[in-house]
Amino acid sequence: MGGFNLKSLGISENERDYSAIMESVANIHSAAPQLTWPKGLTLEKNLVDLAWHQKEFEAQRSFAWIIEDGSAEYLGCAYVYPSIDGSRSADVAWWWRHGYRAQHDDFENLFLGWLKSEEWPDLEYRKITK
């Protein structure tokens, strides 16, 4: 397995992101059962969410990426929310698009390793590999 690419999540990805979310509701709820999202999500509401993610990323307050494979296949999304109260370094989460769960362990090891490395938070470094 070669690795994963992280692409900043923004408004230009609205249709692609919305489609992946809607086909992956069960995966999202299994990863985070406490969430009610994406219940009631529409394409227009998703655009608002993506605009927020994009603005937060640009301000370097929080980070959201599309997880892609080497051929730019949309595998899921990853999020990093740095702590604002200083009690911990960050909250980290991700979800997988329906049908791509098998790659979870590889991604988890690579992603968490990248976040712990000296390369983080170099946001230009987006390919994470073994």
Side-chain angles (χ1 to χ4, degrees), residues 60-96:
Q60 296 190 2
R61 289 189 297 254
S62 66
F63 307 94
W65 296 274
I66 295 171
I67 307 164
E68 296 180 336
D69 64 12
S71 62
E73 185 73 26
Y74 191 120
L75 304 177
C77 280
Y79 310 88
V80 174
Y81 300 101
S83 175
I84 57 173
D85 67 3
S87 63
R88 62 199 173 285
S89 57
D91 290 322
V92 177
W94 58 86
W95 59 267
W96 287 99

Side-chain angles (χ1 to χ4, degrees), residues 9 11 46-58 61-62 64 79 81:
L9 187 57
I11 60 173
N46 196 58
L47 182 63
V48 172
D49 286 349
L50 294 185
W52 178 81
H53 283 305
Q54 185 173 320
K55 192 69 170 168
E56 286 289 293
F57 199 104
E58 290 167 358
R61 289 189 297 254
S62 66
Y79 310 88
Y81 300 101

Side-chain angles (χ1 to χ4, degrees), residues 1 12 18 27 40 67 69 89 91 98 101 106:
M1 162 142 267
S12 66
Y18 181 75
N27 290 10
I67 307 164
D69 64 12
S89 57
D91 290 322
H98 180 73
R101 180 84 181 154
D106 287 335

Side-chain angles (χ1 to χ4, degrees), residues 34-55:
Q34 73 281 8
L35 290 180
T36 57
W37 180 84
K39 184 178 181 182
L41 188 65
T42 64
L43 187 61
E44 293 78 19
K45 289 179 182 178
N46 196 58
L47 182 63
V48 172
D49 286 349
L50 294 185
W52 178 81
H53 283 305
Q54 185 173 320
K55 192 69 170 168

Side-chain angles (χ1 to χ4, degrees), residues 17-18 114:
D17 183 64
Y18 181 75
W114 177 58

